[in-house]
Amino acid sequence: MKIKTIEQHILDQQRKFPGASGGFSGLLYDIALAAKMIARQVNRAGLANVLGSTGEVNIQGEVVQKMDKYANELLINVLTNGGKVCAIASEENENIVEIHDDFLSGNYAINMDPLDGSSNIGANVSIGTIFSLHRKISQGNRGSEEDCLQKGSQQACAGYVIYGSSVMLVYSTGTGVHGFTLDPSVGEFILSHENIQIPEQCRIYSVNEGNSNYWDEGTKRYVNYLKETDRTTGRPFTSRYIGSLVSDFHRNLLYGGIFLYPADYKKGPTKPEGKLRLLFEAAPIAFIAEQAGGYATTGTDRILDIGPKHLHQRVPLIVGNKSEVLRYEEFIRRS
Ligand code: AHG
Ligand code: MN
Ligand code: MN
């Protein structure tokens, strides 16, 4: 059996595609290191007094879990010390974290959701970390917000870590999607899923149906369509929803499926709003989906084509098998 660690894989990829600028392999290595440290803390969560909230509310107006804070601070620490990033945008910080003069500044900006699905942690449900890397485009020595506010299609790399029954790191630099499983006994991420492609068959849908009264007509009609019986198209679909984007997406990526977090009218009748964040959740997940042969839309627009206006922008996200996501767009057009 051929055993390949994540570092060997990155180096092989760099040899094959020499376009990547310096520091990239080191940066991915830093992310993998932070992931291992977060995984260790997640595993001990019930014991180490790290469950529950900090008593604070973040920039999104959401309760900050102790683990959100831990993961955010740890990643910022590892990335700043690593000297490969020029700016860090995080779901947990209102503004970008600039790299202080005491540290080296690198060629990449990172956007990250340090802990995704953290409200599930107390119940031992899988959670994740999502990251997205952009090449520095701003002038000047240090990075700025401009480096973080780039379209998803410009990503140099996107990936996530899933802290599940095993820990996996899945990433893409635009040349396919590769998955690595952590062997905890040696502390290495080992290549376990090479060149992941979303299976053609799509039989799963994942959505928070508790919101269905607040959906637009097109979404209501599409989800009802998925429940109708039709053997030729494999309907009714099976419903699977964890409430943790990384876990829901990861399952659908491996088994085939469509994930929906459409805009809804929860906040009022005038302006429907999505929940998920463009830079920290939707864009990186969309990049991986497309690299695996899938597709991601807001219902009307390709996620990767959206020019971000601000760091914490929210968007509807419908992602998964391309044929189903396109069908969803068709339902929206016809409604
Ligand atoms: P986060 O924990 O980073 O705030 O993200 C939670 C997100 C995402 O993981 C999941 O898809 C979605 O919230 C679930 O939302 P609902 O509870 O509204 O279904
Ligand atoms: Mn999240
Ligand atoms: Mn989060």
Side-chain angles (χ1 to χ4, degrees):
M1 191 178 79
K2 202 172 65 184
I3 293 177
K4 196 182 267 192
T5 65
I6 195 161
E7 288 149 278
Q8 288 164 341
H9 189 262
I10 298 163
L11 292 172
D12 283 358
Q13 292 270 309
Q14 272 186 343
R15 262 192 293 274
K16 272 197 236 163
F17 309 100
S21 54
F24 182 75
S25 55
L27 174 50
L28 220 58
Y29 179 79
D30 289 346
I31 294 170
L33 171 67
K36 284 186 257 185
M37 296 172 83
I38 295 170
R40 184 197 52 187
Q41 197 72 344
V42 167
N43 283 335
R44 302 167 61 233
L47 302 167
N49 190 29
V50 291
L51 289 181
S53 76
T54 59
E56 298 157 81
V57 170
N58 71 8
I59 166 74
Q60 320 281 340
E62 294 154 353
V63 174
V64 178
Q65 303 286 323
K66 288 183 195 167
M67 275 302 294
D68 285 323
K69 202 169 170 192
Y70 173 84
N72 190 39
E73 285 171 4
L74 183 88
L75 274 158
I76 291 174
N77 194 322
V78 170
L79 291 166
T80 324
N81 280 293
K84 315 286 188 318
V85 293
C86 62
I88 303 170
S90 165
E91 185 194 81
E92 299 297 331
N93 296 90
E94 182 169 1
N95 301 309
I96 63 161
V97 180
E98 286 169 15
I99 306 301
H100 193 267
D101 285 346
D102 293 349
F103 298 96
L104 290 173
S105 176
N107 299 322
Y108 294 94
I110 182 165
N111 298 332
M112 63 185 190
D113 179 353
L115 213 58
D116 170 70
S118 58
S119 67
N120 287 313
I121 189 176
N124 255 313
V125 172
S126 300
I127 51 182
T129 295
I130 309 174
F131 59 92
S132 155
L133 307 179
H134 282 282
R135 286 179 196 86
K136 182 175 185 295
I137 50 168
S138 62
Q139 302 300 315
N141 295 335
R142 314 258 136 190
S144 71
E145 200 178 83
E146 184 190 353
D147 299 307
C148 299
L149 290 178
Q150 300 187 55
K151 279 185 187 170
S153 56
Q154 296 299 107
Q155 286 170 102
C157 174
Y160 60 81
V161 182
I162 177 166
Y163 310 102
S165 41
S166 60
V167 180
M168 269 190 79
L169 190 152
V170 174
Y171 86 96
S172 176
T173 53
T175 54
V177 179
H178 308 290
F180 301 79
T181 302
L182 179 66
D183 181 338
S185 63
V186 291
E188 291 278 7
F189 280 104
I190 310 287
L191 182 62
S192 53
H193 297 61
E194 198 167 10
N195 217 347
I196 302 172
Q197 286 288 303
I198 191 162
E200 209 150 286
Q201 202 183 49
C202 181
R203 298 284 185 268
I204 297 173
Y205 76 101
S206 315
V207 67
N208 185 342
E209 266 191 282
N211 295 334
S212 60
N213 281 344
Y214 298 105
W215 292 342
D216 57 82
E217 277 313 303
T219 303
K220 284 183 188 164
R221 286 187 36 244
Y222 175 73
V223 172
N224 283 334
Y225 158 88
L226 296 178
K227 297 180 200 170
E228 289 165 10
T229 302
D230 177 10
R231 287 227 174 81
T232 55
T233 50
R235 288 176 294 145
F237 277 25
T238 267
S239 164
R240 290 282 182 275
Y241 189 70
I242 297 169
S244 194
L245 173 64
V246 168
S247 317
D248 281 308
F249 174 75
H250 185 68
R251 181 203 49 241
N252 292 0
L253 176 70
L254 296 183
Y255 296 170
I258 180 165
F259 171 94
L260 307 97
Y261 213 114
D264 61 47
Y265 290 89
K266 253 186 175 167
K267 287 213 179 123
T270 47
K271 207 168 136 267
E273 241 189 38
K275 172 177 183 186
L276 299 175
R277 285 132 285 209
L278 175 61
L279 293 179
F280 310 124
E281 298 172 315
I285 292 294
F287 189 81
I288 293 176
E290 286 204 8
Q291 283 294 316
Y295 190 58
T297 182
T298 62
T300 51
D301 298 295
R302 179 181 178 230
I303 294 285
L304 294 182
D305 285 337
I306 303 174
K309 294 199 176 60
H310 58 92
L311 292 177
H312 295 276
Q313 188 171 336
R314 294 173 191 260
V315 286
L317 172 66
I318 292 80
V319 59
N321 285 65
K322 189 166 185 175
S323 53
E324 268 321 307
V325 177
L326 293 178
R327 196 195 310 281
Y328 175 82
E329 284 188 336
E330 184 62 33
F331 270 77
I332 296 298
R333 263 197 300 276
R334 280 195 270 132
S335 66

